[in-house]
Amino acid sequence: MDPHIWYPFSQAKTALEPLKVKAAKGIWLELEDGRRIIDCISSWWVNLYGHAHPKIAQAIFQQAQQLEHVIFAGFTHEPAEQLAERLTALLPSNLSRVFFSDDGSTAVEVALKMAYQYWINLGQKRSAFIAFEGSYHGDTFGAMSVGSRSPFSQAFTDLLFEVEFLPFPATHLQDQEVSLRESLVINQLENCLSQNPDRYAAIIIEPLVQGAGGMRLCRPEFIQQLRHISQAFNVLLIFDEVMTGFGRTGSVFASDRAGVAPDIICLSKGITGGFLPLAVTVCSEMIYNAFYSDDIYKALYHGHSYTANPLGCAAALASLELLEEFKPAFEGLEAKHLSHFPALQSLPQVEKLRVMGTIAALDLITPDTPGYFNQIAPRIRQAALEQGLLLRPLGNVLYLMPPYCITEAELAHVYRGIIQLIETMLHN
Ligand SMILES: *Cc1c(COP(=O)(O)O)cnc(C)c1O
């Protein structure tokens, strides 16, 4: 372990030595010792078109020679303006104002602050949020507060603000009970809102896929009901599309696939194609107008040193051009995943197969209790590496989220590897 680095999400004393990566190209990571590994999870879900795509690299290089960074208060620049224009053209039409920040957690912080202050600016105080069990929205304090309580946030519980958590109606292929599960959640939501109509500033959800919570899927129908109720009770709806954005769900945004426009959307991860940290929180004109005033107290006093960094914006603009080019690829991955499911379905160690666009997932049946700290995860991770695959199960949930450039032959190779891993590591 490097003597000067404190690695994220790790207990240094028991963690395995991290692998040193020398280079990456397409779906391949090249290690210092010469080994090559397939990146089956798009490197923490950020990469879209394969590593080191030359078009994005070139756009960053050109921008760096023109304008690398400038304070974004009192100044603006072409890459930010172009990106805001391009993004709002792609997003649901009510989302019109782009606020820049640096990562998924800050995109969520901004959304929460927008929603909370929106009501204050209208002369109301709404002190709580509604979120979902199993959700993950980031590691800063606001994002932790609306995230499901977990070992990650345990030390900070007393510092987190008030949130009402509702069950998430997770579903999978051949699920017979999903409508019932959804209507129970919807009833619970209606009860919450009718008992305390002025208490909740907003509902926040990862639409269609809860990522870190275990690649848990819900149906578009549920998201549609959520929108209906939030409108009926006049509560804001925030979509955290930090992971689902930019083609992951088989549509450009989960909002498109669900057919629902939120009041606020958070985007990051894939926004630069996986090259640079950048995030946006995009809101409706209605929200923006509540801050637009002669009263200085009604402004949103939030910003970061690298807000709207021109290199990040240039990377994002290049990435949006590639998104168009890769449309057939991200739209086609769901069918390709599904073609490999029959082989998995026959394994007794596997249940709850599911797919949403480019993301495929399953639950492993293990003797251990399900959940993030299930002992199968580190064992599979290690065995997968020995097969040349980067997999990072979320507890007993094994998933694939490859870059969109993966070929059919490469995907078939990955599925063969997974089946072999399951059969050798879990004897039933
Ligand atoms: C990763 C993630 C975040 C946090 O993003 P960071 O860039 O890691 O801060 C927030 N929400 C969702 C849905 C995520 O997947």
Side-chain angles (χ1 to χ4, degrees):
M1 206 70 68
D2 185 279
H4 305 295
I5 296 178
W6 190 334
Y7 290 96
F9 296 121
S10 325
Q11 173 48 270
K13 189 168 180 189
T14 53
L16 296 169
E17 190 68 24
L19 302 172
K20 201 157 179 178
V21 183
K22 192 172 68 180
K25 189 80 196 155
I27 62 164
W28 295 95
L29 301 178
E30 191 184 327
L31 303 187
E32 201 179 42
D33 63 14
R35 275 187 290 162
R36 293 174 83 229
I37 288 171
I38 297 180
D39 185 351
C40 305
I41 59 166
S42 299
S43 189
W44 256 347
W45 319 344
V46 299
N47 189 280
L48 300 184
Y49 322 108
H51 289 271
H53 195 289
K55 279 199 180 156
I56 301 178
Q58 185 61 27
I60 294 170
F61 178 63
Q62 277 177 353
Q63 184 59 46
Q65 296 168 98
Q66 178 82 29
L67 170 67
E68 85 300 344
H69 189 62
V70 68
I71 176 172
F72 205 59
F75 292 88
T76 187
H77 50 77
E78 192 62 25
E81 291 182 359
Q82 268 192 34
L83 181 57
E85 186 185 330
R86 297 283 307 277
L87 280 174
T88 48
L90 273 180
L91 285 164
S93 60
N94 66 316
L95 298 173
S96 56
R97 294 285 171 171
V98 178
F99 195 101
F100 287 95
S101 65
D102 308 326
D103 54 62
S105 303
T106 54
V108 169
E109 294 294 329
V110 170
L112 298 172
K113 287 171 83 168
M114 273 180 186
Y116 192 83
Q117 193 181 339
Y118 168 80
W119 294 108
I120 290 178
N121 286 0
L122 294 188
Q124 294 185 36
K125 184 146 176 73
R126 295 190 172 202
S127 59
F129 287 85
I130 292 174
F132 288 86
E133 288 165 9
S135 61
Y136 176 78
H137 298 291
D139 291 334
T140 51
F141 273 95
M144 268 198 295
S145 297
V146 290
S148 203
R149 301 295 182 260
S150 76
F152 288 14
S153 60
Q154 188 176 306
F156 312 105
T157 307
D158 293 348
L159 300 178
L160 304 182
F161 57 70
E162 190 192 338
V163 177
E164 184 75 34
F165 287 98
L166 299 176
F168 183 81
T171 188
H172 50 88
L173 294 177
Q174 283 146 7
D175 181 5
Q176 306 298 332
E177 288 141 23
V178 62
S179 328
L180 177 64
R181 217 174 296 133
E182 286 171 2
S183 50
L184 290 174
V185 179
I186 292 296
N187 284 344
Q188 207 175 322
L189 176 62
E190 280 177 328
N191 282 340
C192 263
L193 293 172
S194 52
Q195 280 163 19
N196 291 296
D198 299 327
R199 181 161 174 211
Y200 301 103
I203 303 168
I204 181 166
I205 188 166
E206 294 158 84
L208 298 184
V209 190
Q210 282 190 334
M215 297 302 156
R216 302 206 304 161
L217 311 185
C218 73
R219 298 195 305 170
E221 289 88 333
F222 176 70
I223 302 296
Q224 288 154 14
Q225 284 178 291
L226 203 59
R227 172 77 282 188
H228 181 73
I229 291 179
S230 67
Q231 268 166 345
F233 284 91
N234 196 23
V235 174
L236 299 176
L237 182 61
I238 303 170
F239 279 180
D240 177 354
E241 289 219 42
V242 167
M243 185 277 278
T244 52
F246 304 104
R248 274 291 161 215
T249 63
S251 303
V252 176
F253 298 107
S255 312
D256 302 325
R257 184 153 180 174
V260 170
D263 299 297
I264 304 177
I265 196 167
C266 307
L267 303 170
S268 185
K269 290 206 163 100
I271 192 168
T272 61
F275 273 69
L276 287 168
L278 184 75
V280 294
T281 307
V282 190
C283 74
S284 66
E285 209 63 12
M286 173 190 85
I287 292 175
Y288 184 76
N289 283 338
F291 291 75
Y292 191 83
S293 164
D294 291 319
D295 181 352
I296 56 158
Y297 287 98
K298 288 194 171 172
L300 180 64
Y301 288 108
H302 187 105
H304 301 278
S305 321
Y306 281 91
T307 287
N309 172 251
L311 303 182
C313 294
L317 282 165
S319 179
L320 286 182
E321 277 175 31
L322 289 170
L323 192 69
E324 194 60 37
E325 198 177 302
F326 277 81
K327 204 168 188 182
F330 69 74
E331 286 179 349
L333 258 168
E334 182 166 309
K336 289 184 182 141
H337 278 306
L338 279 169
S339 74
H340 295 283
F341 276 19
L344 286 164
Q345 231 135 17
S346 59
L347 299 176
Q349 304 94 325
V350 165
E351 65 177 357
K352 297 185 181 165
L353 273 163
R354 50 203 187 267
V355 62
M356 182 68 76
T358 70
I359 307 165
L362 56 86
D363 287 11
L364 293 168
I365 301 169
T366 74
D368 207 0
T369 44
Y372 190 83
F373 290 108
N374 189 298
Q375 280 311 303
I376 196 71
R379 290 179 51 223
I380 293 219
R381 198 164 24 161
Q382 194 56 23
L385 284 172
E386 281 155 26
Q387 287 200 9
L389 303 177
L390 166 54
L391 292 173
R392 209 180 147 84
L394 297 155
N396 63 315
V397 176
L398 187 58
Y399 70 92
L400 293 176
M401 195 194 283
Y404 307 158
C405 64
I406 194 164
T407 64
E408 290 211 56
E410 289 163 343
L411 194 65
H413 170 79
V414 169
Y415 271 95
R416 277 194 300 274
I418 286 182
I419 289 169
Q420 202 185 328
L421 279 170
I422 295 173
E423 284 181 330
T424 53
M425 305 203 57
L426 285 163
H427 319 273
N428 278 38

